[in-house]
Amino acid sequence: MTMSNLDDLYREIILDHYRTPRNRGELESPPAVRVEGFNPLCGDELVLYLVVEDGVVTNIKMTGHGCSISQASSSLMSVAVKGKSLPEVETVMERFKEMMTLKERSLDENGEEAPLDLRSLGEIAALAGVVKFPVRIKCATLAWKTLAEAVAEASSN
Amino acid sequence: MTMSNLDDLYREIILDHYRTPRNRGELESPPAVRVEGFNPLCGDELVLYLVVEDGVVTNIKMTGHGCSISQASSSLMSVAVKGKSLPEVETVMERFKEMMTLKERSLDENGEEAPLDLRSLGEIAALAGVVKFPVRIKCATLAWKTLAEAVAEASSN
Amino acid sequence: MARGERVTSFDARAVRADTPMMKRVVNGRPLTYLDSASSSLPPRAVIEAISRYYELHHANVHRGVYTTANEATEIFEGARVAVADFIHAPGGAEEVVFTHGTTESFNLLAKSWGAANLREGDVVLVSEMEHHANIVPWFQLRETTGIEVRFIPVGDDYRLDLTDIDRLMDGVRLLSVTGMSNVLGTINPLGELAALAHRHGALFAVDGAQSIAHLPTDVAALDIDFLAFSAHKMLGPTGLGVFWTRREILADMPPFLGGGGMILDVRTDGYTPASGPTRFEAGTPAIAETAGLSAAIRYLNGLGMDNVAAHEHELTIDALERLEKEFSGRVRVIGPADATSRGGVLSLDVEGVHPHDVAQILDQYGVCVRPGHHCAKPLMRRFGLAATARASFGPYSLTSDTDVLIEALGEAVSLFA
Amino acid sequence: MARGERVTSFDARAVRADTPMMKRVVNGRPLTYLDSASSSLPPRAVIEAISRYYELHHANVHRGVYTTANEATEIFEGARVAVADFIHAPGGAEEVVFTHGTTESFNLLAKSWGAANLREGDVVLVSEMEHHANIVPWFQLRETTGIEVRFIPVGDDYRLDLTDIDRLMDGVRLLSVTGMSNVLGTINPLGELAALAHRHGALFAVDGAQSIAHLPTDVAALDIDFLAFSAHKMLGPTGLGVFWTRREILADMPPFLGGGGMILDVRTDGYTPASGPTRFEAGTPAIAETAGLSAAIRYLNGLGMDNVAAHEHELTIDALERLEKEFSGRVRVIGPADATSRGGVLSLDVEGVHPHDVAQILDQYGVCVRPGHHCAKPLMRRFGLAATARASFGPYSLTSDTDVLIEALGEAVSLFA
Ligand SMILES: Cc1ncc(COP(=O)(O)O)c(C=O)c1O
Ligand SMILES: Cc1ncc(COP(=O)(O)O)c(C=O)c1O
């Protein structure tokens, strides 16, 4: 039996971020913005702490629990946005969203050759395989939805 | 197409009692016992007035509305019990009940030749065809159930 | 078919051929089904969608990760989309709550929205031609909140009597009216009533149990606020209904039934309800039934609801005319004599013959009509009737059904003459 | 079947052959269905009973006079008799109320019987292992009446901790407990709990959602007062459930949902409810579903519930043993380790692998297990878990299912190692 779909979902990079999540922990709030995320279907829970100074994400930390996809996604996300300016963060969030709405077909056609915008995503592109598992998309997007809320809150302060 | 079942149900005697119900009307209560009967499935309604003197049904009257079966049944019932002693009334009620629980088969086997206990019922035997139409049994029994209540009430006075 | 068939603009014979129940023979006669107002006969496509669901895709929905659980969830959520499209829900599938029927939908309306929004003295205005489903839940709410339940009278023309409507609207917070009467066939002016309600600051609920299957329904164009209907009256399965309301209203409605599925969290000291339609869908839903409803909607869309309405309109004109001609008054139709704004529901009052006897005699001809009060006792009282024998059309009905109806009614009339 | 089959005392292969879903191939593998605790897979006889109903007998029930309406009514009322026999209802069919599932049954219990009989300060005692269906309705009742909802703790042995039960019973008017936990598999001592409740002057309700399909149920012998269960967990259809209580209790329960069917009379100024089960069955019921439930009961009776229980018991002993042996502690079963008083529900906690990932990997092997909190959040909190991956058996389960489960769990363990 071919387990290729599974391999797409559980790429080494995802398992690595799941086993060794980056930016785990809490930050004092305030000054950090604290936002909770929840995926009622799976029970994934996330608490995100975000510090924005002079329009730049200077620190980000997270606690919570969830499946490998939600955990890896939040870890990958934290690495992708830490140190970035808010417009850069917006761009990453936009690219991630596009990736999650890619049709399974277009992914297959490109095979291992990720399309240009995927490559520009860096490590985050490892999450592209999730779109083959529609129920797991919510796991992957939880961290990003929570980030969007935190960014909005930080910007309104 | 054979309409024989219909003929069993709508015997001339039933249509006659439906068109010209006997013992229609009200009686002053007290002295008459007044009992209401209701068939929620069909909406048949019956108000029965019963006078028992010295253990004999000296008068019975009814108002209400319903289908031909319920109307004919109550008219036939009133004729059957008027002037009868309470034990005789009990016997008629018992015979009627038996008739209503006859299996359709036993009726068919006997064809037009009604079994002995049917013949002993007199005109009431005309209602035997109802058992071929199980939903209509409630229409036929309404008057009798109401009578049983009225007899019980009259006896307890 | 032995009898001459008058062809209408709509090929109902194809629909009939699609409907397995139509092959039934009853008392030696082919089935003449004239009880669609009570429940409709599903086409093969609906029955097969249900079987196929159980044979290939059955699993509990939500929270499933495995393949068939996802398939079941897609079937279930897909039906929500199909319903939203069918009624033109402006906010899409997120406005569609699955219930177990029109009746449960009205209980949800009364006991969630009503209990949260209505106070002592507030008025819910219904009409005298409502089905008990749109009356009893309001009486129950009255017991707990002290609201007033008021009735729009029905005129001698069997239509809502709106002459005094502005006075009747005084204090009204909700106007709740049927789209089509299941006894009279009367089609109510929903757009006009919506505007009236909104002018008086009230919301407008529609009992769509009859209208959903016989007329196109566009909640956005009609500007209505709540809609309730049942799958089994629109060629779908039993055990499934719909409650629709606008997203903003739904968002503020408190939970109704409690249990699994409708929660976000449960602790030993309390619970947090979920948001969206899920909040109102406690427990395992009617999943196979949604597969059937989707198939029914696909089927009705294939026919075109405008065509269905036009077809039944022609049948109604024809039947009204012939009943009048054949029986010269001995068979009275309780409902508008004129087919304008009127559906194919013919409540019959046969002189000298009780409706139960009518139905019994008709059954010998294989004709299915329903005797009784049709769960509309206030309306029956209004017209001094205990019951009628109701014949009603569906998309599979033909003028030949009316032929058999008339033949059988003739027997009833002569048997009791 | 390629893998070696250990034969149990019960020929489950025949049951499997009767179950169309078992022919499904998922991700190149035959279906290994281990989610019966969530919903069961109906045999062909059930699916066909539903189709046959729609093809031959469909009509609305009650008040019908014509042939097919009588047939539908007989099918519907016949199911009531079948249910009464199946659970040994002392008062027969007149004690059986059809609902749309266990969840609605508990809402009926809380909002009809509970609202009428419980006052501020009265205690409803449930357990920490209850499904949300037996928790949330009581929280909702608490909001309106001020009752207290109290929990029997669950011990480290995954069984009810009854050490302090006499103190816990103080003020209790209703004890309401599950027959079998849908997470732990624990079978509760219903007879003992019934006696306890009655000794304290309380009534005793049982959540039979799990136990009904896996154990014989005799409400008279157990001396219980209320029973709730769902057709879809006992090889029957979705959209149908049962509420049972003793005739005397039912007679005094006020109406729940309002609408057609549950009334004796409706006037513009009020209504009179019907008596018997009808009072609680507002609107058109799930008719086709009752045909399916009757077929499911016939099928289960054919198997014999004792045999079903014995078969699943053997499967459970085998699976517990092999899971322990194969994974030496890396796969923990959340539930009694010992198969005594325990059903075939295996909640798995795989070291280092989240239940969702477990379920996802298993799906590649065609194995259906359910990840999540299983609508028992208080229980999950009790054991410090967010979720488990739950495998559960049905009468069609075989030891070969456990083979595939173990093979797939091996992959999960090694992928995440
Ligand atoms: C123990 C228990 N109680 C109640 C329920 C709820 O049943 P339903 O969802 O059919 O209403 C379930 C099943 O989910 C259950 O396992
Ligand atoms: C106008 C109307 N409203 C409500 C209902 C109730 O629908 P259900 O019995 O499917 O809940 C019906 C059908 O009986 C109806 O005709």
Side-chain angles (χ1 to χ4, degrees):
Chain A
M1 152 192 25
T2 162
M3 290 283 137
S4 70
N5 277 345
L6 267 196
D7 293 341
D8 273 348
L9 186 63
Y10 297 116
R11 295 190 179 175
E12 200 42 58
I13 199 164
I14 287 179
L15 294 175
D16 173 47
H17 275 264
Y18 174 54
R19 292 195 196 97
T20 326
R22 324 295 198 264
N23 299 303
R24 289 290 287 187
E26 306 186 4
L27 292 174
E28 207 175 317
S29 166
V33 165
R34 181 184 183 282
V35 175
E36 292 179 17
F38 188 48
N39 176 355
L41 282 182
C42 312
D44 298 334
E45 286 177 8
L46 182 71
V47 185
L48 189 149
Y49 301 86
L50 186 77
V51 181
V52 177
E53 289 168 319
D54 299 331
V56 172
V57 172
T58 54
N59 206 354
I60 179 167
K61 289 231 181 278
M62 280 159 311
T63 62
H65 56 82
C67 65
S68 62
I69 305 303
S70 87
Q71 295 295 90
S73 180
S74 60
S75 175
L76 284 160
M77 178 274 283
S78 70
V79 171
V81 303
K82 193 167 170 183
K84 294 279 186 348
S85 71
L86 288 185
E88 286 170 323
V89 169
E90 292 289 349
T91 306
V92 182
M93 290 197 294
E94 205 44 59
R95 292 246 173 92
F96 175 78
K97 211 168 167 182
E98 278 168 25
M99 183 171 72
M100 284 297 113
T101 51
L102 273 183
K103 287 273 161 293
E104 200 177 310
R105 168 102 59 114
S106 70
L107 203 81
D108 281 346
E109 276 166 5
N110 290 289
E112 285 308 294
E113 230 56 61
L116 211 74
D117 57 337
L118 280 190
R119 224 175 292 145
S120 73
L121 277 166
E123 283 200 322
I124 289 170
L127 289 163
V130 173
V131 297
K132 290 191 183 173
F133 299 84
V135 270
R136 306 303 293 280
I137 289 177
K138 279 196 174 162
C139 308
T141 53
L142 175 66
W144 299 82
K145 285 196 174 138
T146 315
L147 173 68
E149 268 186 65
V151 166
E153 198 172 311
S155 309
S156 72
N157 285 352
Chain B
M1 152 191 24
T2 161
M3 288 283 138
S4 70
N5 277 346
L6 266 195
D7 292 342
D8 273 347
L9 187 64
Y10 298 115
R11 296 189 178 177
E12 199 43 57
I13 198 164
I14 287 179
L15 294 175
D16 173 45
H17 275 263
Y18 174 55
R19 292 195 196 95
T20 326
R22 324 296 197 261
N23 299 303
R24 288 290 285 187
E26 307 185 5
L27 292 174
E28 205 174 319
S29 167
V33 165
R34 180 184 183 281
V35 175
E36 293 180 18
F38 188 48
N39 176 357
L41 282 182
C42 312
D44 297 336
E45 285 176 10
L46 181 71
V47 184
L48 188 149
Y49 301 85
L50 185 77
V51 182
V52 177
E53 288 168 319
D54 300 327
V56 171
V57 173
T58 53
N59 207 352
I60 180 168
K61 289 231 180 275
M62 281 161 307
T63 62
H65 57 83
C67 65
S68 63
I69 305 303
S70 88
Q71 295 296 93
S73 181
S74 59
S75 176
L76 283 160
M77 177 275 282
S78 70
V79 171
V81 303
K82 194 167 170 181
K84 293 279 188 342
S85 71
L86 288 185
E88 287 170 321
V89 168
E90 292 289 348
T91 306
V92 181
M93 289 198 293
E94 206 43 59
R95 292 245 173 93
F96 174 78
K97 214 169 166 182
E98 277 167 27
M99 182 171 72
M100 284 297 114
T101 50
L102 274 185
K103 289 274 160 296
E104 199 177 311
R105 170 99 59 112
S106 70
L107 204 81
D108 281 348
E109 276 166 6
N110 289 290
E112 284 307 294
E113 229 57 59
L116 210 74
D117 58 336
L118 279 190
R119 225 175 292 144
S120 74
L121 276 164
E123 283 201 323
I124 289 170
L127 288 163
V130 172
V131 297
K132 290 191 183 176
F133 300 83
V135 273
R136 306 303 293 281
I137 290 178
K138 281 197 173 164
C139 308
T141 53
L142 175 65
W144 298 80
K145 285 196 172 136
T146 313
L147 173 67
E149 268 186 66
V151 166
E153 198 171 311
S155 310
S156 72
N157 284 351
Chain C
M1 201 139 301
R3 7 199 101 247
E5 188 77 12
R6 257 167 285 170
V7 180
T8 71
S9 63
F10 173 85
D11 189 11
R13 275 169 302 196
V15 183
R16 179 167 297 215
D18 290 340
T19 308
M21 273 285 292
M22 287 298 186
K23 298 218 174 63
R24 265 301 295 265
V25 170
V26 162
N27 293 320
R29 303 279 302 235
L31 198 74
T32 294
Y33 191 75
L34 291 170
D35 197 21
S36 292
S38 194
S39 199
S40 56
L41 302 181
R44 192 168 297 104
V46 167
I47 303 171
E48 283 177 357
I50 296 168
S51 298
R52 212 176 317 118
Y53 168 80
Y54 282 122
E55 285 166 8
L56 292 174
H57 310 291
H58 176 59
N60 214 323
V61 293
H62 305 315
R63 269 184 279 272
V65 161
Y66 58 84
T67 302
T68 51
N70 290 338
E71 291 167 359
T73 304
E74 271 165 33
I75 286 168
F76 181 68
E77 295 300 335
R80 218 188 280 282
V81 175
V83 167
D85 291 349
F86 191 66
I87 63 173
H88 304 275
E94 282 295 295
E95 298 184 335
V96 173
V97 177
F98 283 122
T99 65
H100 295 285
T102 309
T103 302
E104 194 193 344
S105 297
F106 270 106
N107 280 273
L108 169 59
L109 175 59
K111 290 156 194 186
S112 167
W113 179 85
N117 289 282
L118 303 179
R119 295 284 157 270
E120 181 163 356
D122 284 347
V123 180
V124 171
L125 183 63
V126 300
S127 90
E128 249 179 2
M129 67 169 78
E130 295 313 308
H131 187 280
H132 296 160
N134 188 21
I135 298 177
V136 179
W138 303 117
F139 285 166
Q140 293 183 321
L141 185 64
R142 180 172 65 186
E143 283 166 29
T144 55
T145 63
I147 61 160
E148 182 192 333
V149 184
R150 196 180 284 163
F151 288 78
I152 304 174
V154 172
D156 290 338
D157 58 353
Y158 302 107
R159 300 191 184 272
L160 294 182
D161 177 356
L162 299 174
T163 43
D164 222 11
I165 191 67
D166 280 302
R167 207 182 44 77
L168 279 171
M169 283 300 295
D170 186 50
V172 170
R173 298 282 312 280
L174 179 76
L175 174 61
S176 186
V177 167
T178 191
M180 184 195 299
S181 163
N182 66 320
V183 178
L184 308 170
T186 308
I187 294 171
N188 287 318
L190 299 183
E192 191 183 314
L193 292 169
L196 168 83
H198 296 152
R199 203 161 58 237
H200 284 83
L203 292 181
F204 183 49
V206 172
D207 177 349
Q210 293 298 327
S211 52
I212 194 75
H214 305 287
L215 300 170
T217 299
D218 185 331
V219 293
L222 291 169
D223 196 21
I224 69 185
D225 302 303
F226 301 101
L227 179 70
F229 57 93
S230 303
H232 73 95
K233 306 233 193 213
M234 54 191 289
L235 311 186
T238 56
L240 181 66
V242 168
F243 171 85
W244 168 84
T245 186
R246 285 186 281 108
R247 194 187 284 260
E248 320 83 75
I249 298 177
L250 195 69
D252 285 337
M253 282 170 55
F256 176 40
L257 304 185
M262 55 69 75
I263 59 97
L264 204 56
D265 194 17
V266 176
R267 301 162 307 278
T268 50
D269 63 348
Y271 77 103
T272 316
S275 58
T278 306
R279 183 188 309 166
F280 308 100
E281 294 172 352
T284 302
I287 312 170
E289 290 83 345
T290 61
L293 178 57
S294 283
I297 288 176
R298 261 194 311 276
Y299 191 85
L300 287 172
N301 281 336
L303 301 181
M305 288 307 299
D306 279 318
N307 294 329
V308 169
H311 169 65
E312 293 178 12
H313 185 64
E314 287 190 45
L315 288 176
T316 307
I317 293 177
D318 173 67
L320 284 172
E321 204 182 284
R322 287 162 72 198
L323 284 167
E324 175 59 31
K325 205 162 60 197
E326 292 283 341
F327 299 103
S328 42
R330 293 215 47 193
V331 174
R332 204 159 56 101
V333 175
I334 310 297
D338 162 11
T340 321
S341 296
R342 185 199 203 297
V345 177
L346 304 167
S347 266
L348 307 178
D349 183 30
V350 181
E351 199 179 285
V353 194
H354 190 278
H356 274 195
D357 293 311
V358 172
Q360 190 78 67
I361 294 161
L362 266 52
D363 180 53
Q364 290 297 320
Y365 290 78
V367 176
C368 308
V369 300
R370 191 154 292 250
H373 54 63
H374 316 301
C375 296
K377 288 202 111 186
L379 181 70
M380 302 306 278
R381 277 216 179 74
R382 157 69 179 85
F383 290 104
L385 295 161
T388 68
R390 181 187 66 185
S392 52
F393 295 122
Y396 32 61
S397 299
L398 303 172
T399 53
S400 62
D401 294 325
T402 307
D403 297 343
V404 186
L405 173 69
I406 286 173
E407 176 192 357
L409 282 172
E411 166 77 12
V413 167
S414 72
L415 185 64
F416 277 81
Chain D
M1 204 139 297
R3 7 200 102 248
E5 188 79 12
R6 258 167 285 171
V7 180
T8 70
S9 63
F10 172 84
D11 189 11
R13 275 168 303 197
V15 183
R16 180 167 297 215
D18 289 340
T19 308
M21 273 285 291
M22 287 297 185
K23 298 219 175 63
R24 263 303 292 266
V25 170
V26 161
N27 292 319
R29 303 280 302 238
L31 198 74
T32 294
Y33 191 75
L34 291 170
D35 197 21
S36 292
S38 193
S39 198
S40 55
L41 302 181
R44 193 169 296 105
V46 168
I47 304 171
E48 283 176 358
I50 296 168
S51 297
R52 211 176 318 117
Y53 168 79
Y54 283 123
E55 285 165 9
L56 291 175
H57 310 292
H58 177 59
N60 215 324
V61 292
H62 305 313
R63 266 184 280 271
V65 162
Y66 58 85
T67 303
T68 52
N70 290 338
E71 291 167 358
T73 304
E74 271 165 33
I75 286 168
F76 181 68
E77 296 299 336
R80 218 188 281 282
V81 176
V83 167
D85 291 347
F86 191 66
I87 63 173
H88 304 275
E94 282 294 295
E95 298 184 334
V96 173
V97 177
F98 284 122
T99 65
H100 295 287
T102 309
T103 303
E104 194 192 342
S105 297
F106 271 106
N107 279 274
L108 169 58
L109 175 58
K111 290 157 194 186
S112 167
W113 179 85
N117 290 282
L118 302 178
R119 295 284 157 270
E120 181 162 356
D122 283 347
V123 180
V124 172
L125 183 62
V126 299
S127 90
E128 250 179 1
M129 67 168 80
E130 295 313 308
H131 186 280
H132 296 161
N134 189 20
I135 299 177
V136 179
W138 303 117
F139 285 165
Q140 293 183 321
L141 185 65
R142 180 171 65 187
E143 284 166 30
T144 53
T145 62
I147 61 160
E148 183 191 333
V149 184
R150 198 180 285 164
F151 288 80
I152 304 175
V154 172
D156 290 338
D157 59 352
Y158 303 107
R159 299 193 185 272
L160 294 182
D161 177 356
L162 300 175
T163 43
D164 222 11
I165 192 67
D166 280 302
R167 208 182 45 76
L168 280 171
M169 283 299 296
D170 186 50
V172 169
R173 299 283 311 280
L174 179 76
L175 173 61
S176 186
V177 166
T178 190
M180 184 194 299
S181 162
N182 66 319
V183 178
L184 308 171
T186 308
I187 294 172
N188 288 317
L190 299 184
E192 191 183 314
L193 292 169
L196 170 82
H198 295 152
R199 203 161 58 238
H200 284 82
L203 292 181
F204 182 49
V206 172
D207 177 348
Q210 293 298 327
S211 51
I212 193 75
H214 305 288
L215 300 171
T217 300
D218 184 331
V219 294
L222 291 168
D223 196 22
I224 68 184
D225 302 303
F226 301 101
L227 179 70
F229 57 93
S230 304
H232 73 95
K233 307 232 193 215
M234 52 189 291
L235 311 185
T238 57
L240 180 66
V242 168
F243 172 85
W244 168 85
T245 187
R246 285 187 280 109
R247 196 187 284 259
E248 320 82 77
I249 299 176
L250 196 69
D252 284 337
M253 283 171 54
F256 176 41
L257 304 185
M262 53 69 74
I263 60 97
L264 204 59
D265 193 18
V266 176
R267 302 161 305 278
T268 52
D269 63 348
Y271 77 104
T272 315
S275 58
T278 306
R279 184 190 305 166
F280 308 99
E281 295 172 350
T284 303
I287 312 168
E289 290 82 346
T290 61
L293 177 58
S294 283
I297 288 176
R298 260 194 312 276
Y299 190 83
L300 287 172
N301 282 337
L303 301 181
M305 287 308 299
D306 280 316
N307 295 329
V308 169
H311 169 65
E312 293 177 13
H313 186 62
E314 288 191 44
L315 288 175
T316 306
I317 293 177
D318 174 67
L320 284 171
E321 204 181 283
R322 288 162 72 197
L323 284 167
E324 176 59 30
K325 206 164 58 195
E326 292 282 342
F327 299 104
S328 44
R330 293 213 50 190
V331 173
R332 203 159 57 101
V333 175
I334 309 298
D338 163 13
T340 323
S341 294
R342 185 200 204 296
V345 178
L346 303 166
S347 267
L348 307 178
D349 183 31
V350 181
E351 198 180 286
V353 195
H354 190 278
H356 274 194
D357 294 311
V358 172
Q360 190 79 67
I361 294 162
L362 267 52
D363 180 53
Q364 290 297 320
Y365 291 77
V367 177
C368 307
V369 300
R370 190 154 295 249
H373 54 63
H374 316 299
C375 296
K377 288 202 114 190
L379 181 70
M380 301 307 276
R381 277 215 180 74
R382 158 69 180 86
F383 290 105
L385 295 161
T388 68
R390 182 187 64 187
S392 52
F393 295 122
Y396 32 60
S397 299
L398 304 172
T399 53
S400 62
D401 293 326
T402 307
D403 298 342
V404 186
L405 172 69
I406 286 174
E407 176 192 357
L409 282 171
E411 166 78 12
V413 166
S414 72
L415 185 66
F416 277 80

